[in-house]
Amino acid sequence: SLNVPAVRTHELVGLDRFHEALRALGFDSLTEAPDHYGAALALGGADVTLLALANAYRALANGGVWSASRTVAAGTGAPMRTPIGPGAEGRRVLGAAASFVVADILSDRGARATTFGLENPLATRVWSAVKTGTSKDMRDNWCVGFTSRYTVGVWVGNSSGAPMHDVSGVTGAAPVWRDVVHFLHREAASRSPVPPRGLVRANVSFDPPVEAGRDEWFVSGTAMAIVRAVPRTGDVPEAALAPRIRYPAPDTIIALDPDIPAAHQRIAFVASDARPGHAWTLDGRALEGKGERALWTPAPGRHVVALHDDAGDAIASVAFEVRGSP
């Protein structure tokens, strides 16, 4: 549920190309020109049906190959309706390697732990890849994902469109989704996908070390050994670099995510070239954590975060705002 990377990727791919890919995945409701949606398209800023969304996830489950959906009578296996489309024959929309990487991300229980904790409604007993979403003002929420055999989509909301009270994707649709997956796999396991050609697995470390190094999948030719938040300038001695607050930027507006329980929301204050003894304060009060990183449980309002040197003098400060309900 990190919006900035999604929007950044959308900018790199291009609005027209992304819109074309969504149409190829069966989102026939995207009838407006790409400029009508803008960057919000990367965050779900368009009307789609639950069936179309689930069928697009099914394409991910099938390694990037999309085919039209069918409706069958329960218990018979006989088709009741075949929607307008190219028929049952599949067509490749996404690369197999890229689809595998996305499925690997969506199945990463450890990656979700910081947001939801290890035990949460998305933690199934079998292998699964899943994503939740909550619409503006909590009008409705979604949970869509797949196993090695089934793709399941769940929508929760009021038929009138009225907002719900503190019901997000992880508390509304996700528990239903999990129970359906467990029922479908009550007698059979879900197998993790076999990596296709065109992938490499490489160890990645982080600079600064915001988390431990780990092995990650990459599309061939894109692997990196170190993820650096700020490139170092080799011709400038490290001692000459003045510490600065890299996040948040001045006057940043941070929105609390209704899809994440308040107890699990954190803002990471990050500095460049800070020393281990440098301390952080927020609105004049000391924060836990020293050096290049400190974590804070967000609270609505205007705030000032500051970094202090060994003598206690402020060497950098940034004003920002948090919006939303805690």
Side-chain angles (χ1 to χ4, degrees):
S1 293
L2 300 179
N3 291 342
V4 172
V7 173
R8 174 59 176 159
T9 303
H10 178 265
E11 291 176 346
L12 294 172
V13 170
L15 178 57
D16 290 342
R17 187 180 176 192
F18 183 56
H19 182 270
E20 181 182 350
L22 292 179
R23 292 280 298 177
L25 284 168
F27 292 107
D28 296 333
S29 57
L30 303 182
T31 56
E32 302 290 343
D35 289 343
H36 171 79
Y37 304 101
L41 194 58
L43 305 178
D47 292 330
V48 300
T49 66
L50 178 61
L51 178 61
L53 185 62
N55 203 37
Y57 271 74
R58 188 170 70 93
L60 278 175
N62 288 327
V65 176
W66 180 92
S67 61
S69 60
R70 295 187 306 163
T71 301
V72 299
T76 68
M80 291 176 57
R81 177 181 63 86
T82 300
I84 298 174
E89 182 178 354
R91 64 169 183 262
R92 178 162 296 284
V93 177
L94 305 170
S99 298
F100 177 91
V101 171
V102 172
D104 184 64
I105 293 170
L106 295 179
S107 67
D108 191 339
R109 184 174 177 180
R112 286 194 293 264
T114 302
T115 301
F116 299 126
L118 280 174
E119 295 300 328
N120 60 74
L122 302 177
T124 57
R125 296 192 298 264
V126 298
W127 183 91
S128 60
V130 58
K131 181 73 180 71
T132 62
T134 306
S135 62
K136 187 177 180 181
D137 297 327
M138 292 190 173
R139 286 185 298 106
D140 55 11
N141 57 80
W142 312 61
C143 186
V144 187
F146 52 88
T147 66
S148 62
R149 182 163 182 176
Y150 301 100
T151 298
V152 178
V154 175
W155 176 91
V156 169
N158 294 315
S159 58
S160 64
M164 296 177 289
H165 298 288
D166 297 326
V167 180
S168 65
V170 77
T171 59
V176 180
W177 181 89
R178 176 200 56 202
D179 289 351
V180 171
V181 166
H182 285 166
F183 175 80
L184 293 172
H185 283 280
R186 62 195 181 278
E187 296 179 354
S190 173
R191 304 177 307 275
S192 59
V194 177
R197 293 180 179 180
L199 288 170
V200 295
R201 193 161 176 82
N203 187 264
V204 179
S205 59
F206 299 87
D207 179 22
V210 293
E211 54 184 281
R214 60 174 180 264
D215 288 340
E216 286 285 0
W217 288 103
F218 293 90
V219 175
S220 297
T222 67
M224 59 181 69
I226 301 176
V227 176
R228 286 190 175 94
V230 177
R232 300 284 183 175
T233 54
D235 55 343
V236 179
E238 185 173 343
L241 296 175
R244 66 182 181 88
I245 295 176
R246 193 169 74 246
Y247 185 84
D251 298 320
T252 293
I253 297 176
I254 300 171
L256 296 175
D257 192 336
D259 208 29
I260 302 175
H264 295 292
Q265 298 206 42
R266 296 290 187 274
I267 292 176
F269 300 125
V270 183
S272 296
D273 306 299
R275 297 177 183 175
H278 288 175
W280 294 84
T281 63
L282 183 81
D283 302 329
R285 298 179 180 177
L287 289 173
E288 293 185 6
K290 292 183 179 293
E292 294 191 339
R293 181 181 171 90
L295 294 177
W296 173 62
T297 301
R302 294 282 301 178
H303 303 282
V304 176
V305 62
L307 183 67
H308 300 258
D309 61 17
D310 296 339
D313 297 324
I315 52 179
S317 64
V318 167
F320 66 98
E321 181 177 359
V322 176
R323 294 181 181 177
S325 300

